[in-house]
Amino acid sequence: MPKLTIDGQEIEVDASMTVLQACEQAGAEVPRFCYHERLPLSGNCRMCLVEMERAPKPVASCCMPVGDGMVIHTNTDEVKKMREAVMEFLLINHPLDCPICDQGGECDLQDQAVAYGCGESRYTEEKRAVSNNDYGPLIKGTMTRCIHCTRCVRFSSTIAGTSELGGVFRGEHLEIGTYVGNTITSELSGNMIDLCPVGALTSLPYAFKARPWELKKTESIDVLDGLGSAIRVDSRGGEVLRIIPRLNDDVNEEWLGDKSRFACDGLNRQRLDQPYIKKDGKLQAATWDEAFGAIADKVNGLDGSKIAALAGDLVDVEAMTALKDLLASLGSNNMDCRQEGNAVDPNVRASYIFNSTVAGIEDADALLIVGSNPRIENPVLNARIRKRYLEGGFKVGVVGPAADLTYKHDYFGADATTLNDIASGKHEFAKVLKGAEKPMIIVGAGALMRADGAAILAASKAIADNLGMVKDDWNGFNVLQTSASRVGGLDIGFSPKDGGLDTVGILDACGDGKVEVLYLLGADGMEAAKLSDTFIIYQGHHGDSGAHMADVILPGAAYTEKNATYVNMEGRVQRTSLAVFAPGQAKEDWAIIRALSAALGKTLPYDTLPDVRGRMAEINPVFATTDEITPAEWTDFGMAGDLQLKPLSSHIRNYYMTDPISRASETMAACTAELLGQGGETERTGTDG
Amino acid sequence: MNSSGEAFAFTPENQEAAKAILAKYPEGREASATMPLLTLAQRQNDNWLPREAMDVVADMVGLAPIRVYEVATFYTMYNLKPVGKNFVQVCTNISCLIKGSDDVFKACKKKLGIGNGETTPDGEFTLLEVECLGACVNAPMMQINDDFYEDLTGETTEKVLDALAKGEAPAAGSQAGKRVGCQPAGGLTTLIGED
């Protein structure tokens, strides 16, 4: 390993590092604009110049590989002068419009100008101006502010894989843009806003809303897809203004999908802020006591088998624990958290989680995707697959919907019976998987929602078993869950036990009148026709389809409004934090069920959040720790059967609207209309598969 | 931006030519063919490159369209908007300037009745002031389509333009008469065939 001297300090670093990284390791701060850890090098901003002894000129440290015996200076007067000169050049054409720029307060150029800017400009000529592009409903481009660091260009070509931005024209006329005036269509486009070191790309929905120093910053977890990305919720005065990603190398690195980032305006629209009771066919505002009373009137004396519950996509584990216990005390086993009828085996954890882990994708060397379009089901996960693909030596095969996944893949049609060919080794891709060291399979939730879901699960398991995907230190069987509550619900056992009904059974029983009371815990998108005679209790935070058919509505809290536990698709237990309070009379979900239990005379034995969490750990020990992955045991699951000829498809058609929050969001409606060219709000996707 | 409004496709002959260009580069390096293919497209399309043509080239070389737009907008020899049948580029760089390129440019403006960067209403001529075209020995000079017209004066410039306007093809090269290529203006002084 090479030894360097940085500012008089001897340091030994990895030979693959650059001087800038070595400086960071030595604790010497080097300013930069174009350099970014996760993007390819470009070396065009020149801000990271350092002095290297025996070199004739200053060197751009971001692109200089380390060498043995290098002597680097980062804090001499000479270095300061060089950086000041670079800064002066950068500011020649940069407008001095900080007071009206949204980046103000979190702008790299502004911050570094404090250290390296000269007090006044020597430049008296006219500044260059660039016309703005329309980048669509998410990104506001003020391209005059651009300093041509090309971070966004490199992001779109490398990470997002859509190559939509570029540097066009030359010299003084160089502009960053799409040239043809296209909007940016990548599902990861919001990350360019974070990457932009100046105010050239800023968030359009957040434009002129707040300054960063006014915001309360709460570290939390995203729940709008199954990944559980680390996020920071920025709020002011009880309103969530924006959501940005946090670093978590195991999960989202530092990226965030556009839905998770921009749907936060949906948190303020169509909210349920007080209980309602249906009287004479119309929902009327009520107090909590009246609502509980109405439920008690209906439920008391009713046989447990006539009561059922379904949990939706955004429900936290605490609420499901409380509801499960309440149902048990009422004598009902009819509960399911798989509202879309996903055929995973609730008793075998390995059958419903992403066993390889998200970071594990980088170790894999072959991948089969079954009935899924990961690009819209989970864009950040898809970026991880692309990252692995770019390293080379990684074959991807797809049996399912044809789509542009941003990486090359062999497409084998959408016919489910192909799975049997692969499992038996007859198929060409079976050889690829067999020859791979760490092959993996990703089964989409869409494939498991079909009537033959259990058979598809069995066929996928057979592929995993036959082609060596499960070994001592590697489990290549993965289910791509698309909702944040699914794994948590299955882990806590919110699934039919001892002859209880599952989702399909519950809905049929409601139609037949065998189930008279249905508790929808944040479950939307049910078929209204079957439920017309059922007494429906809807607990949730948005006036979505579930609330419309309810007889009693109990207003709950959204994920930014509670300290709640979610389990991501890898089986990682994570917790959200309360950023703002729920509106009006809405309450944390587990507390509502606890209060209801008292009204029904079946008081649940916990009064505080730690009590509930204790109960969770009692049911399943995975809840005792957070942010840890417990490898799941590989046992038998799935039910071998005939595969239908119906083509495999993804159950998500519109990435931008998959849950009550994103359906209520105006930004997401604009994305749907502009980027997908669809009508907007009437589109129902996701849970209605 | 710079759309022609109609689809672009290489003619059968040019498709053959494009194949030959692509064959010059090893497999996986098709992107190297971007520039020659753009040139081919421009030649086919009346000396300018609409966006549709760039898209076709992008598709042929397997690049994202924006990568091709970057190339096409970087190099000045790709014309991003329609130009006249005769694309007149007058060098006004230092050598030509010293040798009287101002007269040449003035003559062009006067004769054609257009300014720098403009096209005559009949679409016959486009005039453009450009940087050095590498013919300093025969300064001042102008390039019309693929031909260099050298050793110009205001008068000879007008003559060339007149001939072109009549649809003739004036001889390219030195307009000063005797000299061939970049021989000395006063005739050869060495290697003249005597001992």
Side-chain angles (χ1 to χ4, degrees):
Chain A
M1 292 214 296
K3 270 196 187 119
L4 289 81
T5 311
I6 294 169
D7 296 339
Q9 184 193 341
E10 276 226 349
I11 183 169
E12 206 176 326
V13 298
D14 195 277
S16 65
M17 285 176 119
T18 63
V19 171
L20 188 143
Q21 288 168 320
C23 288
E24 279 194 336
Q25 201 172 312
E29 204 179 311
V30 180
R32 84 289 304 264
F33 293 111
C34 71
Y35 173 79
H36 191 277
E37 296 85 344
R38 293 180 206 276
L39 297 177
L41 298 173
S42 70
N44 53 5
C45 79
R46 315 312 286 179
M47 196 63 195
C48 64
L49 291 178
V50 296
E51 214 183 326
M52 186 166 89
E53 280 184 13
R54 287 176 296 153
K57 304 187 284 187
V59 297
S61 59
C62 70
C63 291
M64 188 73 176
V66 289
D68 200 32
M70 278 182 173
V71 183
I72 307 285
H73 299 286
T74 69
N75 53 8
T76 58
D77 284 348
E78 206 48 33
V79 170
K80 186 156 191 295
K81 245 173 92 184
M82 294 184 296
R83 290 181 187 159
E84 279 172 357
V86 170
M87 176 61 80
E88 198 172 1
F89 275 119
L90 285 174
L91 290 175
I92 277 182
N93 278 319
H94 190 83
L96 300 178
D97 63 349
C98 301
I100 56 154
C101 174
D102 255 332
Q103 192 84 353
E106 50 187 3
C107 174
D108 289 358
L109 187 64
Q110 202 178 35
D111 293 348
Q112 289 175 35
V114 172
Y116 298 104
C118 51
E120 64 190 67
S121 176
R122 291 187 284 170
Y123 186 77
T124 51
E125 289 78 4
E126 275 184 32
K127 291 191 180 224
R128 164 192 120 107
V130 177
S131 55
N132 288 335
N133 296 327
D134 177 12
Y135 289 138
L138 300 178
I139 298 181
K140 181 180 167 189
T142 314
M143 302 319 285
T144 302
R145 295 179 188 141
C146 177
I147 58 168
H148 307 150
C149 71
T150 69
R151 276 187 189 180
C152 55
V153 176
R154 284 173 282 149
F155 177 85
S156 91
S157 61
T158 316
I159 309 286
T162 47
S163 287
E164 295 178 283
L165 285 170
V168 289
F169 305 109
R170 70 192 288 183
E172 208 217 333
H173 303 284
L174 177 68
E175 287 179 22
I176 301 294
T178 57
Y179 183 59
V180 287
N182 283 350
T183 51
I184 297 175
T185 56
S186 166
E187 296 81 10
L188 291 165
S189 66
N191 297 298
M192 294 179 200
I193 297 168
D194 292 340
L195 287 172
C196 185
V198 295
L201 303 179
T202 52
S203 167
L204 186 56
Y206 173 73
F208 307 129
K209 286 265 184 72
R211 286 297 190 189
W213 56 84
E214 304 170 323
L215 299 170
K216 185 183 134 198
K217 302 165 180 78
T218 314
E219 300 200 339
S220 190
I221 296 297
D222 171 56
V223 304
L224 300 189
D225 59 33
L227 190 63
S229 303
I231 55 168
R232 196 183 83 193
V233 180
D234 285 0
S235 58
R236 186 185 60 188
E239 190 184 351
V240 175
L241 291 177
R242 67 168 177 183
I243 286 172
I244 56 176
R246 279 188 297 132
L247 285 172
N248 187 344
D249 276 328
D250 291 333
V251 179
N252 59 319
E253 299 183 274
E254 59 180 276
W255 316 126
L256 190 61
D258 283 352
K259 175 176 54 183
S260 305
R261 181 189 297 261
F262 291 109
C264 61
D265 65 326
L267 291 166
N268 301 321
R269 298 182 73 239
Q270 295 186 15
R271 287 303 298 270
L272 300 171
D273 56 359
Q274 61 178 8
Y276 288 88
I277 300 175
K278 191 172 267 177
K279 281 181 193 151
D280 313 323
K282 275 188 87 176
L283 284 167
Q284 288 175 0
T287 64
W288 279 105
D289 286 340
E290 286 166 3
F292 287 158
I295 296 171
D297 287 347
K298 182 74 192 176
V299 170
N300 281 345
L302 200 65
D303 185 65
S305 67
K306 293 186 179 252
I307 304 171
L310 289 172
D313 288 344
L314 305 178
V315 183
D316 54 297
V317 182
E318 281 87 352
M320 283 188 279
T321 310
L323 188 56
K324 174 189 152 102
D325 285 349
L326 177 61
L327 256 78
S329 66
L330 291 169
S332 169
N333 287 326
N334 307 326
M335 63 183 107
D336 207 334
C337 62
R338 297 161 295 171
Q339 65 161 47
E340 75 287 338
N342 185 322
V344 296
D345 187 338
N347 301 314
V348 183
R349 196 163 193 245
S351 84
Y352 58 81
I353 66 170
F354 202 90
N355 291 294
S356 305
T357 74
V358 175
I361 292 172
E362 290 180 30
D363 299 329
D365 46 6
L367 167 65
L368 177 67
I369 298 172
V370 177
S372 170
N373 176 353
R375 181 169 168 193
I376 55 168
E377 287 176 24
N378 204 321
V380 177
L381 179 91
N382 198 54
R384 189 77 85 137
I385 300 175
R386 177 173 162 80
K387 182 180 177 188
R388 174 65 193 87
Y389 161 78
L390 288 178
E391 277 170 28
F394 185 59
K395 275 264 198 184
V396 185
V398 173
V399 179
D404 172 13
L405 296 177
T406 72
Y407 38 86
K408 267 195 200 132
H409 56 270
D410 296 324
Y411 184 64
F412 304 121
D415 182 0
T417 51
T418 312
L419 298 178
N420 286 336
D421 293 346
I422 298 176
S424 63
K426 275 188 285 186
H427 197 272
E428 48 176 312
F429 202 69
K431 291 183 191 75
V432 175
L433 293 170
K434 189 118 202 169
E437 209 133 289
K438 289 185 168 181
M440 62 189 284
I441 180 171
I442 294 179
V443 185
L448 302 175
M449 282 175 203
R450 297 155 38 121
D452 59 347
I456 288 179
L457 190 68
S460 306
K461 179 174 189 293
I463 291 174
D465 282 334
N466 298 353
L467 302 175
M469 288 188 181
V470 185
K471 303 172 186 170
D472 293 344
D473 58 341
W474 177 252
N475 187 337
F477 181 84
N478 302 290
V479 173
L480 178 51
Q481 298 286 3
T482 47
S483 79
S485 69
R486 200 67 73 246
V487 174
L490 292 164
D491 276 352
I492 206 72
F494 200 89
S495 48
K497 294 257 159 61
D498 306 326
L501 299 169
D502 63 3
T503 304
V504 178
I506 289 171
L507 293 178
D508 286 345
C510 286
D512 301 345
K514 284 180 196 146
V515 163
E516 289 179 23
V517 175
L518 178 60
Y519 201 117
L520 294 178
L521 182 57
D524 295 288
M526 300 295 141
E527 244 178 280
K530 279 186 181 168
L531 304 176
S532 52
D533 297 329
T534 316
F535 183 81
I536 294 173
I537 305 159
Y538 181 79
Q539 176 178 341
H541 40 77
H542 274 77
D544 209 70
S545 62
H548 290 303
M549 55 173 99
D551 292 284
V552 177
I553 292 176
L554 306 174
Y559 70 109
T560 50
E561 295 152 6
K562 56 190 170 190
N563 297 306
T565 306
Y566 288 88
V567 187
N568 84 345
M569 58 190 202
E570 308 165 281
R572 186 188 300 274
V573 178
Q574 304 188 106
R575 294 211 163 118
T576 61
S577 313
L578 183 142
V580 296
F581 289 101
Q585 299 176 41
K587 300 258 185 298
E588 288 201 20
D589 290 88
W590 76 270
I592 295 173
I593 298 164
R594 164 67 182 72
L596 174 63
S597 72
L600 295 175
K602 309 269 185 195
T603 312
L604 293 170
Y606 26 78
D607 298 323
T608 63
L609 196 55
D611 288 352
V612 189
R613 290 185 178 159
R615 169 75 182 133
M616 280 154 52
E618 199 181 300
I619 298 174
N620 190 337
V622 298
F623 292 105
T625 52
T626 57
D627 209 27
E628 266 178 40
I629 298 268
T630 327
E633 211 183 320
W634 186 250
T635 53
D636 228 23
F637 58 80
M639 224 189 312
D642 286 339
L643 298 173
Q644 295 175 355
L645 279 172
K646 195 173 97 175
L648 287 163
S649 64
S650 173
H651 66 118
I652 292 185
R653 275 165 287 161
N654 175 0
Y655 164 69
Y656 298 102
M657 286 189 177
T658 54
D659 52 78
I661 297 174
S662 53
R663 280 195 288 266
S665 158
E666 283 181 322
T667 313
M668 292 296 104
C671 287
T672 308
E674 280 192 45
L675 303 180
L676 304 176
Q678 293 177 2
E681 302 208 23
T682 49
E683 185 77 8
R684 280 270 180 270
T685 52
T687 51
D688 62 343
Chain B
M1 215 161 180
N2 90 316
S3 165
S4 66
E6 47 195 85
F8 176 89
F10 278 117
T11 58
E13 305 88 74
N14 280 347
Q15 261 167 15
E16 286 306 309
K19 247 187 231 161
I21 290 168
L22 279 164
K24 286 183 193 166
Y25 304 99
E27 212 186 309
R29 296 279 183 273
E30 288 83 4
S32 305
T34 304
M35 293 184 66
L37 287 180
L38 285 174
T39 311
L40 188 68
Q42 173 161 302
R43 283 181 186 281
Q44 180 185 316
N45 195 64
D46 299 332
N47 207 11
W48 78 286
L49 207 49
R51 177 195 157 184
E52 288 77 4
M54 300 185 212
D55 289 343
V56 167
V57 171
D59 194 48
M60 287 172 79
V61 298
L63 283 177
I66 182 71
R67 299 280 94 82
V68 175
Y69 306 153
E70 284 178 328
V71 172
T73 55
F74 182 86
Y75 292 101
T76 52
M77 284 167 76
Y78 297 120
N79 297 318
L80 300 176
K81 37 182 207 218
V83 293
K85 210 173 94 194
N86 300 295
F87 184 39
V88 182
Q89 302 176 72
V90 181
C91 170
T92 56
N93 234 173
I94 183 87
S95 306
C96 288
L97 180 78
I98 292 169
K99 295 285 280 175
S101 66
D102 280 0
D103 293 341
V104 176
F105 198 56
K106 250 184 237 156
C108 288
K109 283 201 274 196
K110 198 179 110 205
K111 193 83 214 164
L112 303 174
I114 51 174
N116 183 26
E118 292 173 5
T119 304
T120 52
D122 58 5
E124 284 292 307
F125 289 92
T126 295
L127 177 63
L128 192 66
E129 185 180 355
V130 296
E131 304 303 326
C132 185
L133 290 170
C136 304
V137 176
N138 296 25
M141 60 79 67
M142 64 181 172
Q143 181 184 357
I144 299 179
N145 297 343
D146 288 340
D147 296 322
F148 276 16
Y149 294 88
E150 299 157 334
D151 296 328
L152 294 166
T153 60
E155 238 167 83
T156 48
T157 306
E158 287 190 30
K159 260 191 210 156
V160 171
L161 296 175
D162 277 337
L164 286 167
K166 279 185 221 149
E168 293 165 12
S174 173
Q175 303 297 309
K178 357 184 232 313
R179 87 162 145 173
V180 177
C182 50
Q183 279 175 359
L188 291 182
T189 54
T190 53
L191 298 176
I192 46 178
E194 291 161 17
D195 290 344

